[in-house]
PDB file of all heavy atoms in Angstrom:
ATOM      1  N   PHE T  18      -6.995  -2.282   3.946  1.00 88.00           N
ATOM      2  CA  PHE T  18      -8.344  -2.313   3.368  1.00 88.00           C
ATOM      3  C   PHE T  18      -8.361  -3.034   2.028  1.00 88.00           C
ATOM      4  O   PHE T  18      -9.312  -3.746   1.711  1.00 88.00           O
ATOM      5  CB  PHE T  18      -8.900  -0.893   3.189  1.00 88.00           C
ATOM      6  CG  PHE T  18      -9.583  -0.365   4.410  1.00 88.00           C
ATOM      7  CD1 PHE T  18      -9.085   0.734   5.085  1.00 88.00           C
ATOM      8  CD2 PHE T  18     -10.747  -0.947   4.884  1.00 88.00           C
ATOM      9  CE1 PHE T  18      -9.722   1.234   6.208  1.00 88.00           C
ATOM     10  CE2 PHE T  18     -11.393  -0.459   6.006  1.00 88.00           C
ATOM     11  CZ  PHE T  18     -10.876   0.633   6.670  1.00 88.00           C
ATOM     12  N   ILE T  19      -7.322  -2.860   1.229  1.00 87.00           N
ATOM     13  CA  ILE T  19      -7.276  -3.497  -0.088  1.00 87.00           C
ATOM     14  C   ILE T  19      -7.222  -5.022   0.048  1.00 87.00           C
ATOM     15  O   ILE T  19      -7.910  -5.742  -0.676  1.00 87.00           O
ATOM     16  CB  ILE T  19      -6.074  -2.979  -0.905  1.00 87.00           C
ATOM     17  CG1 ILE T  19      -6.312  -1.524  -1.305  1.00 87.00           C
ATOM     18  CG2 ILE T  19      -5.830  -3.837  -2.143  1.00 87.00           C
ATOM     19  CD1 ILE T  19      -5.092  -0.832  -1.882  1.00 87.00           C
ATOM     20  N   VAL T  20      -6.416  -5.536   0.976  1.00 87.00           N
ATOM     21  CA  VAL T  20      -6.241  -6.987   1.094  1.00 87.00           C
ATOM     22  C   VAL T  20      -7.273  -7.654   2.003  1.00 87.00           C
ATOM     23  O   VAL T  20      -7.320  -8.876   2.071  1.00 87.00           O
ATOM     24  CB  VAL T  20      -4.815  -7.352   1.575  1.00 87.00           C
ATOM     25  CG1 VAL T  20      -3.785  -6.863   0.588  1.00 87.00           C
ATOM     26  CG2 VAL T  20      -4.541  -6.827   2.962  1.00 87.00           C
ATOM     27  N   ASN T  21      -8.098  -6.881   2.686  1.00 83.00           N
ATOM     28  CA  ASN T  21      -9.058  -7.455   3.624  1.00 83.00           C
ATOM     29  C   ASN T  21     -10.472  -7.269   3.092  1.00 83.00           C
ATOM     30  O   ASN T  21     -11.036  -6.180   3.153  1.00 83.00           O
ATOM     31  CB  ASN T  21      -8.907  -6.786   4.998  1.00 83.00           C
ATOM     32  CG  ASN T  21      -9.625  -7.541   6.072  1.00 83.00           C
ATOM     33  OD1 ASN T  21     -10.605  -8.218   5.822  1.00 83.00           O
ATOM     34  ND2 ASN T  21      -9.138  -7.406   7.284  1.00 83.00           N
ATOM     35  N   LYS T  22     -11.057  -8.340   2.598  1.00 79.00           N
ATOM     36  CA  LYS T  22     -12.391  -8.262   2.003  1.00 79.00           C
ATOM     37  C   LYS T  22     -13.492  -8.116   3.049  1.00 79.00           C
ATOM     38  O   LYS T  22     -14.559  -7.586   2.761  1.00 79.00           O
ATOM     39  CB  LYS T  22     -12.647  -9.511   1.164  1.00 79.00           C
ATOM     40  CG  LYS T  22     -11.775  -9.605  -0.046  1.00 79.00           C
ATOM     41  CD  LYS T  22     -12.042 -10.881  -0.811  1.00 79.00           C
ATOM     42  CE  LYS T  22     -11.090 -10.981  -1.988  1.00 79.00           C
ATOM     43  NZ  LYS T  22     -11.225 -12.235  -2.710  1.00 79.00           N
ATOM     44  N   ARG T  23     -13.234  -8.577   4.270  1.00 78.00           N
ATOM     45  CA  ARG T  23     -14.273  -8.553   5.306  1.00 78.00           C
ATOM     46  C   ARG T  23     -14.554  -7.146   5.825  1.00 78.00           C
ATOM     47  O   ARG T  23     -15.572  -6.909   6.442  1.00 78.00           O
ATOM     48  CB  ARG T  23     -13.883  -9.448   6.474  1.00 78.00           C
ATOM     49  CG  ARG T  23     -13.958 -10.925   6.132  1.00 78.00           C
ATOM     50  CD  ARG T  23     -13.560 -11.747   7.308  1.00 78.00           C
ATOM     51  NE  ARG T  23     -12.088 -11.763   7.343  1.00 78.00           N
ATOM     52  CZ  ARG T  23     -11.369 -12.125   8.370  1.00 78.00           C
ATOM     53  NH1 ARG T  23     -11.946 -12.491   9.479  1.00 78.00           N
ATOM     54  NH2 ARG T  23     -10.068 -12.132   8.312  1.00 78.00           N
ATOM     55  N   ARG T  24     -13.673  -6.208   5.586  1.00 75.00           N
ATOM     56  CA  ARG T  24     -13.838  -4.853   6.117  1.00 75.00           C
ATOM     57  C   ARG T  24     -14.272  -3.849   5.061  1.00 75.00           C
ATOM     58  O   ARG T  24     -14.053  -2.667   5.199  1.00 75.00           O
ATOM     59  CB  ARG T  24     -12.527  -4.391   6.767  1.00 75.00           C
ATOM     60  CG  ARG T  24     -12.145  -5.212   7.974  1.00 75.00           C
ATOM     61  CD  ARG T  24     -13.261  -5.137   9.003  1.00 75.00           C
ATOM     62  NE  ARG T  24     -13.021  -6.006  10.113  1.00 75.00           N
ATOM     63  CZ  ARG T  24     -12.802  -5.582  11.343  1.00 75.00           C
ATOM     64  NH1 ARG T  24     -12.800  -4.307  11.612  1.00 75.00           N
ATOM     65  NH2 ARG T  24     -12.600  -6.445  12.311  1.00 75.00           N
ATOM     66  N   ARG T  25     -14.904  -4.294   4.005  1.00 75.00           N
ATOM     67  CA  ARG T  25     -15.348  -3.392   2.947  1.00 75.00           C
ATOM     68  C   ARG T  25     -16.334  -2.323   3.436  1.00 75.00           C
ATOM     69  O   ARG T  25     -16.269  -1.198   2.971  1.00 75.00           O
ATOM     70  CB  ARG T  25     -15.972  -4.167   1.792  1.00 75.00           C
ATOM     71  CG  ARG T  25     -15.005  -5.059   1.062  1.00 75.00           C
ATOM     72  CD  ARG T  25     -14.042  -4.266   0.210  1.00 75.00           C
ATOM     73  NE  ARG T  25     -13.274  -5.198  -0.607  1.00 75.00           N
ATOM     74  CZ  ARG T  25     -11.978  -5.140  -0.754  1.00 75.00           C
ATOM     75  NH1 ARG T  25     -11.289  -4.207  -0.175  1.00 75.00           N
ATOM     76  NH2 ARG T  25     -11.350  -6.017  -1.502  1.00 75.00           N
ATOM     77  N   PRO T  26     -17.268  -2.626   4.372  1.00 77.00           N
ATOM     78  CA  PRO T  26     -18.172  -1.564   4.828  1.00 77.00           C
ATOM     79  C   PRO T  26     -17.440  -0.373   5.471  1.00 77.00           C
ATOM     80  O   PRO T  26     -17.871   0.776   5.327  1.00 77.00           O
ATOM     81  CB  PRO T  26     -19.073  -2.265   5.853  1.00 77.00           C
ATOM     82  CG  PRO T  26     -19.030  -3.701   5.471  1.00 77.00           C
ATOM     83  CD  PRO T  26     -17.660  -3.934   4.918  1.00 77.00           C
ATOM     84  N   GLN T  27     -16.343  -0.613   6.151  1.00 84.00           N
ATOM     85  CA  GLN T  27     -15.588   0.469   6.763  1.00 84.00           C
ATOM     86  C   GLN T  27     -14.768   1.239   5.743  1.00 84.00           C
ATOM     87  O   GLN T  27     -14.294   2.335   6.024  1.00 84.00           O
ATOM     88  CB  GLN T  27     -14.654  -0.080   7.843  1.00 84.00           C
ATOM     89  CG  GLN T  27     -15.383  -0.624   9.047  1.00 84.00           C
ATOM     90  CD  GLN T  27     -14.411  -1.264  10.020  1.00 84.00           C
ATOM     91  OE1 GLN T  27     -13.477  -1.941   9.613  1.00 84.00           O
ATOM     92  NE2 GLN T  27     -14.645  -1.043  11.303  1.00 84.00           N
ATOM     93  N   LEU T  28     -14.621   0.688   4.571  1.00 86.00           N
ATOM     94  CA  LEU T  28     -13.830   1.338   3.531  1.00 86.00           C
ATOM     95  C   LEU T  28     -14.437   2.672   3.124  1.00 86.00           C
ATOM     96  O   LEU T  28     -13.710   3.630   2.846  1.00 86.00           O
ATOM     97  CB  LEU T  28     -13.705   0.411   2.314  1.00 86.00           C
ATOM     98  CG  LEU T  28     -12.905   0.915   1.134  1.00 86.00           C
ATOM     99  CD1 LEU T  28     -11.460   1.185   1.541  1.00 86.00           C
ATOM    100  CD2 LEU T  28     -12.959  -0.089  -0.004  1.00 86.00           C
ATOM    101  N   LYS T  29     -15.762   2.764   3.117  1.00 86.00           N
ATOM    102  CA  LYS T  29     -16.422   4.022   2.731  1.00 86.00           C
ATOM    103  C   LYS T  29     -16.033   5.161   3.670  1.00 86.00           C
ATOM    104  O   LYS T  29     -15.805   6.292   3.233  1.00 86.00           O
ATOM    105  CB  LYS T  29     -17.939   3.838   2.710  1.00 86.00           C
ATOM    106  CG  LYS T  29     -18.411   2.934   1.599  1.00 86.00           C
ATOM    107  CD  LYS T  29     -19.903   2.749   1.631  1.00 86.00           C
ATOM    108  CE  LYS T  29     -20.316   1.762   0.547  1.00 86.00           C
ATOM    109  NZ  LYS T  29     -21.759   1.520   0.558  1.00 86.00           N
ATOM    110  N   GLU T  30     -15.943   4.864   4.965  1.00 88.00           N
ATOM    111  CA  GLU T  30     -15.522   5.882   5.930  1.00 88.00           C
ATOM    112  C   GLU T  30     -14.065   6.284   5.686  1.00 88.00           C
ATOM    113  O   GLU T  30     -13.708   7.453   5.798  1.00 88.00           O
ATOM    114  CB  GLU T  30     -15.687   5.359   7.358  1.00 88.00           C
ATOM    115  CG  GLU T  30     -17.113   5.091   7.752  1.00 88.00           C
ATOM    116  CD  GLU T  30     -17.201   4.391   9.098  1.00 88.00           C
ATOM    117  OE1 GLU T  30     -16.234   4.478   9.885  1.00 88.00           O
ATOM    118  OE2 GLU T  30     -18.237   3.762   9.345  1.00 88.00           O
ATOM    119  N   PHE T  31     -13.238   5.302   5.342  1.00 88.00           N
ATOM    120  CA  PHE T  31     -11.831   5.581   5.075  1.00 88.00           C
ATOM    121  C   PHE T  31     -11.669   6.426   3.812  1.00 88.00           C
ATOM    122  O   PHE T  31     -10.787   7.282   3.743  1.00 88.00           O
ATOM    123  CB  PHE T  31     -11.038   4.278   4.965  1.00 88.00           C
ATOM    124  CG  PHE T  31      -9.585   4.493   4.706  1.00 88.00           C
ATOM    125  CD1 PHE T  31      -8.783   5.127   5.646  1.00 88.00           C
ATOM    126  CD2 PHE T  31      -9.006   4.085   3.522  1.00 88.00           C
ATOM    127  CE1 PHE T  31      -7.438   5.344   5.415  1.00 88.00           C
ATOM    128  CE2 PHE T  31      -7.656   4.287   3.279  1.00 88.00           C
ATOM    129  CZ  PHE T  31      -6.864   4.921   4.230  1.00 88.00           C
ATOM    130  N   ILE T  32     -12.514   6.212   2.840  1.00 89.00           N
ATOM    131  CA  ILE T  32     -12.455   7.009   1.612  1.00 89.00           C
ATOM    132  C   ILE T  32     -12.716   8.480   1.935  1.00 89.00           C
ATOM    133  O   ILE T  32     -12.089   9.374   1.365  1.00 89.00           O
ATOM    134  CB  ILE T  32     -13.463   6.471   0.567  1.00 89.00           C
ATOM    135  CG1 ILE T  32     -13.099   5.050   0.153  1.00 89.00           C
ATOM    136  CG2 ILE T  32     -13.546   7.391  -0.634  1.00 89.00           C
ATOM    137  CD1 ILE T  32     -11.735   4.881  -0.460  1.00 89.00           C
ATOM    138  N   LYS T  33     -13.590   8.748   2.885  1.00 90.00           N
ATOM    139  CA  LYS T  33     -13.838  10.135   3.309  1.00 90.00           C
ATOM    140  C   LYS T  33     -12.576  10.748   3.909  1.00 90.00           C
ATOM    141  O   LYS T  33     -12.273  11.922   3.681  1.00 90.00           O
ATOM    142  CB  LYS T  33     -14.987  10.191   4.316  1.00 90.00           C
ATOM    143  CG  LYS T  33     -16.331   9.852   3.725  1.00 90.00           C
ATOM    144  CD  LYS T  33     -17.411   9.850   4.780  1.00 90.00           C
ATOM    145  CE  LYS T  33     -18.726   9.366   4.194  1.00 90.00           C
ATOM    146  NZ  LYS T  33     -19.768   9.224   5.227  1.00 90.00           N
ATOM    147  N   VAL T  34     -11.840   9.958   4.680  1.00 89.00           N
ATOM    148  CA  VAL T  34     -10.583  10.426   5.255  1.00 89.00           C
ATOM    149  C   VAL T  34      -9.577  10.723   4.144  1.00 89.00           C
ATOM    150  O   VAL T  34      -8.881  11.743   4.174  1.00 89.00           O
ATOM    151  CB  VAL T  34     -10.007   9.399   6.260  1.00 89.00           C
ATOM    152  CG1 VAL T  34      -8.616   9.797   6.720  1.00 89.00           C
ATOM    153  CG2 VAL T  34     -10.944   9.232   7.441  1.00 89.00           C
ATOM    154  N   ILE T  35      -9.520   9.852   3.158  1.00 89.00           N
ATOM    155  CA  ILE T  35      -8.614  10.078   2.029  1.00 89.00           C
ATOM    156  C   ILE T  35      -8.965  11.379   1.315  1.00 89.00           C
ATOM    157  O   ILE T  35      -8.086  12.160   0.950  1.00 89.00           O
ATOM    158  CB  ILE T  35      -8.666   8.882   1.042  1.00 89.00           C
ATOM    159  CG1 ILE T  35      -8.008   7.663   1.664  1.00 89.00           C
ATOM    160  CG2 ILE T  35      -7.994   9.231  -0.283  1.00 89.00           C
ATOM    161  CD1 ILE T  35      -8.110   6.415   0.806  1.00 89.00           C
ATOM    162  N   GLN T  36     -10.250  11.631   1.145  1.00 88.00           N
ATOM    163  CA  GLN T  36     -10.673  12.866   0.494  1.00 88.00           C
ATOM    164  C   GLN T  36     -10.275  14.088   1.322  1.00 88.00           C
ATOM    165  O   GLN T  36      -9.866  15.108   0.765  1.00 88.00           O
ATOM    166  CB  GLN T  36     -12.185  12.858   0.268  1.00 88.00           C
ATOM    167  CG  GLN T  36     -12.609  11.925  -0.836  1.00 88.00           C
ATOM    168  CD  GLN T  36     -14.114  11.882  -0.978  1.00 88.00           C
ATOM    169  OE1 GLN T  36     -14.826  11.583  -0.027  1.00 88.00           O
ATOM    170  NE2 GLN T  36     -14.594  12.177  -2.179  1.00 88.00           N
ATOM    171  N   GLN T  37     -10.385  13.993   2.635  1.00 87.00           N
ATOM    172  CA  GLN T  37      -9.998  15.108   3.500  1.00 87.00           C
ATOM    173  C   GLN T  37      -8.499  15.369   3.431  1.00 87.00           C
ATOM    174  O   GLN T  37      -8.060  16.510   3.438  1.00 87.00           O
ATOM    175  CB  GLN T  37     -10.375  14.824   4.955  1.00 87.00           C
ATOM    176  CG  GLN T  37     -11.846  14.844   5.233  1.00 87.00           C
ATOM    177  CD  GLN T  37     -12.146  14.379   6.652  1.00 87.00           C
ATOM    178  OE1 GLN T  37     -11.286  13.859   7.347  1.00 87.00           O
ATOM    179  NE2 GLN T  37     -13.393  14.549   7.063  1.00 87.00           N
ATOM    180  N   GLU T  38      -7.715  14.315   3.366  1.00 86.00           N
ATOM    181  CA  GLU T  38      -6.265  14.440   3.389  1.00 86.00           C
ATOM    182  C   GLU T  38      -5.642  14.534   1.996  1.00 86.00           C
ATOM    183  O   GLU T  38      -4.428  14.634   1.876  1.00 86.00           O
ATOM    184  CB  GLU T  38      -5.647  13.237   4.129  1.00 86.00           C
ATOM    185  CG  GLU T  38      -6.042  13.142   5.577  1.00 86.00           C
ATOM    186  CD  GLU T  38      -5.598  14.354   6.378  1.00 86.00           C
ATOM    187  OE1 GLU T  38      -4.451  14.805   6.201  1.00 86.00           O
ATOM    188  OE2 GLU T  38      -6.402  14.850   7.172  1.00 86.00           O
ATOM    189  N   HIS T  39      -6.458  14.536   0.970  1.00 83.00           N
ATOM    190  CA  HIS T  39      -5.961  14.520  -0.405  1.00 83.00           C
ATOM    191  C   HIS T  39      -5.028  15.693  -0.709  1.00 83.00           C
ATOM    192  O   HIS T  39      -4.067  15.546  -1.452  1.00 83.00           O
ATOM    193  CB  HIS T  39      -7.143  14.515  -1.377  1.00 83.00           C
ATOM    194  CG  HIS T  39      -6.751  14.452  -2.808  1.00 83.00           C
ATOM    195  ND1 HIS T  39      -6.209  13.331  -3.376  1.00 83.00           N
ATOM    196  CD2 HIS T  39      -6.805  15.386  -3.797  1.00 83.00           C
ATOM    197  CE1 HIS T  39      -5.943  13.562  -4.647  1.00 83.00           C
ATOM    198  NE2 HIS T  39      -6.299  14.803  -4.935  1.00 83.00           N
ATOM    199  N   TYR T  40      -5.286  16.843  -0.127  1.00 84.00           N
ATOM    200  CA  TYR T  40      -4.485  18.030  -0.433  1.00 84.00           C
ATOM    201  C   TYR T  40      -3.178  18.084   0.356  1.00 84.00           C
ATOM    202  O   TYR T  40      -2.242  18.736  -0.056  1.00 84.00           O
ATOM    203  CB  TYR T  40      -5.311  19.290  -0.177  1.00 84.00           C
ATOM    204  CG  TYR T  40      -6.522  19.343  -1.058  1.00 84.00           C
ATOM    205  CD1 TYR T  40      -7.784  19.029  -0.567  1.00 84.00           C
ATOM    206  CD2 TYR T  40      -6.403  19.656  -2.407  1.00 84.00           C
ATOM    207  CE1 TYR T  40      -8.891  19.054  -1.382  1.00 84.00           C
ATOM    208  CE2 TYR T  40      -7.499  19.673  -3.241  1.00 84.00           C
ATOM    209  CZ  TYR T  40      -8.748  19.376  -2.725  1.00 84.00           C
ATOM    210  OH  TYR T  40      -9.836  19.387  -3.541  1.00 84.00           O
ATOM    211  N   SER T  41      -3.116  17.383   1.475  1.00 84.00           N
ATOM    212  CA  SER T  41      -1.904  17.433   2.295  1.00 84.00           C
ATOM    213  C   SER T  41      -1.025  16.185   2.176  1.00 84.00           C
ATOM    214  O   SER T  41       0.142  16.223   2.520  1.00 84.00           O
ATOM    215  CB  SER T  41      -2.271  17.648   3.763  1.00 84.00           C
ATOM    216  OG  SER T  41      -3.019  16.557   4.242  1.00 84.00           O
ATOM    217  N   TYR T  42      -1.592  15.082   1.676  1.00 86.00           N
ATOM    218  CA  TYR T  42      -0.800  13.849   1.588  1.00 86.00           C
ATOM    219  C   TYR T  42      -1.192  13.052   0.357  1.00 86.00           C
ATOM    220  O   TYR T  42      -2.378  12.806   0.116  1.00 86.00           O
ATOM    221  CB  TYR T  42      -0.999  12.978   2.828  1.00 86.00           C
ATOM    222  CG  TYR T  42      -0.230  11.683   2.753  1.00 86.00           C
ATOM    223  CD1 TYR T  42       1.148  11.674   2.925  1.00 86.00           C
ATOM    224  CD2 TYR T  42      -0.860  10.493   2.454  1.00 86.00           C
ATOM    225  CE1 TYR T  42       1.871  10.496   2.819  1.00 86.00           C
ATOM    226  CE2 TYR T  42      -0.151   9.319   2.348  1.00 86.00           C
ATOM    227  CZ  TYR T  42       1.215   9.323   2.535  1.00 86.00           C
ATOM    228  OH  TYR T  42       1.929   8.164   2.423  1.00 86.00           O
ATOM    229  N   LYS T  43      -0.197  12.649  -0.413  1.00 85.00           N
ATOM    230  CA  LYS T  43      -0.429  11.802  -1.587  1.00 85.00           C
ATOM    231  C   LYS T  43       0.571  10.658  -1.576  1.00 85.00           C
ATOM    232  O   LYS T  43       1.729  10.830  -1.204  1.00 85.00           O
ATOM    233  CB  LYS T  43      -0.281  12.610  -2.866  1.00 85.00           C
ATOM    234  CG  LYS T  43      -1.387  13.615  -3.051  1.00 85.00           C
ATOM    235  CD  LYS T  43      -1.300  14.304  -4.374  1.00 85.00           C
ATOM    236  CE  LYS T  43      -2.444  15.302  -4.457  1.00 85.00           C
ATOM    237  NZ  LYS T  43      -2.501  15.980  -5.729  1.00 85.00           N
ATOM    238  N   ASP T  44       0.094   9.527  -1.999  1.00 87.00           N
ATOM    239  CA  ASP T  44       0.876   8.293  -1.974  1.00 87.00           C
ATOM    240  C   ASP T  44       0.283   7.391  -3.061  1.00 87.00           C
ATOM    241  O   ASP T  44      -0.920   7.467  -3.314  1.00 87.00           O
ATOM    242  CB  ASP T  44       0.698   7.702  -0.566  1.00 87.00           C
ATOM    243  CG  ASP T  44       1.215   6.310  -0.446  1.00 87.00           C
ATOM    244  OD1 ASP T  44       2.398   6.154  -0.140  1.00 87.00           O
ATOM    245  OD2 ASP T  44       0.424   5.377  -0.641  1.00 87.00           O
ATOM    246  N   PRO T  45       1.052   6.554  -3.734  1.00 92.00           N
ATOM    247  CA  PRO T  45       0.490   5.721  -4.806  1.00 92.00           C
ATOM    248  C   PRO T  45      -0.673   4.821  -4.359  1.00 92.00           C
ATOM    249  O   PRO T  45      -1.649   4.668  -5.087  1.00 92.00           O
ATOM    250  CB  PRO T  45       1.679   4.879  -5.273  1.00 92.00           C
ATOM    251  CG  PRO T  45       2.870   5.689  -4.932  1.00 92.00           C
ATOM    252  CD  PRO T  45       2.506   6.428  -3.668  1.00 92.00           C
ATOM    253  N   ILE T  46      -0.572   4.248  -3.176  1.00 90.00           N
ATOM    254  CA  ILE T  46      -1.635   3.347  -2.704  1.00 90.00           C
ATOM    255  C   ILE T  46      -2.894   4.138  -2.367  1.00 90.00           C
ATOM    256  O   ILE T  46      -4.006   3.759  -2.749  1.00 90.00           O
ATOM    257  CB  ILE T  46      -1.154   2.534  -1.484  1.00 90.00           C
ATOM    258  CG1 ILE T  46       0.016   1.640  -1.900  1.00 90.00           C
ATOM    259  CG2 ILE T  46      -2.284   1.689  -0.911  1.00 90.00           C
ATOM    260  CD1 ILE T  46       0.715   0.957  -0.766  1.00 90.00           C
ATOM    261  N   VAL T  47      -2.724   5.257  -1.690  1.00 89.00           N
ATOM    262  CA  VAL T  47      -3.866   6.110  -1.342  1.00 89.00           C
ATOM    263  C   VAL T  47      -4.476   6.696  -2.613  1.00 89.00           C
ATOM    264  O   VAL T  47      -5.703   6.779  -2.742  1.00 89.00           O
ATOM    265  CB  VAL T  47      -3.422   7.209  -0.348  1.00 89.00           C
ATOM    266  CG1 VAL T  47      -4.524   8.194  -0.101  1.00 89.00           C
ATOM    267  CG2 VAL T  47      -2.959   6.578   0.961  1.00 89.00           C
ATOM    268  N   GLU T  48      -3.632   7.088  -3.563  1.00 90.00           N
ATOM    269  CA  GLU T  48      -4.115   7.612  -4.841  1.00 90.00           C
ATOM    270  C   GLU T  48      -4.913   6.554  -5.595  1.00 90.00           C
ATOM    271  O   GLU T  48      -5.914   6.861  -6.236  1.00 90.00           O
ATOM    272  CB  GLU T  48      -2.942   8.081  -5.698  1.00 90.00           C
ATOM    273  CG  GLU T  48      -2.341   9.390  -5.261  1.00 90.00           C
ATOM    274  CD  GLU T  48      -3.269  10.553  -5.507  1.00 90.00           C
ATOM    275  OE1 GLU T  48      -3.843  10.662  -6.620  1.00 90.00           O
ATOM    276  OE2 GLU T  48      -3.455  11.334  -4.573  1.00 90.00           O
TER     277      GLU T  48
END
């Protein structure tokens, strides 16, 4: 998602996934 500018609209949905998984998984890129 970071390197692909054409998929920015789908990034919002992915951010929701990151928020859901924030307590069980952390990584520098996801953070």
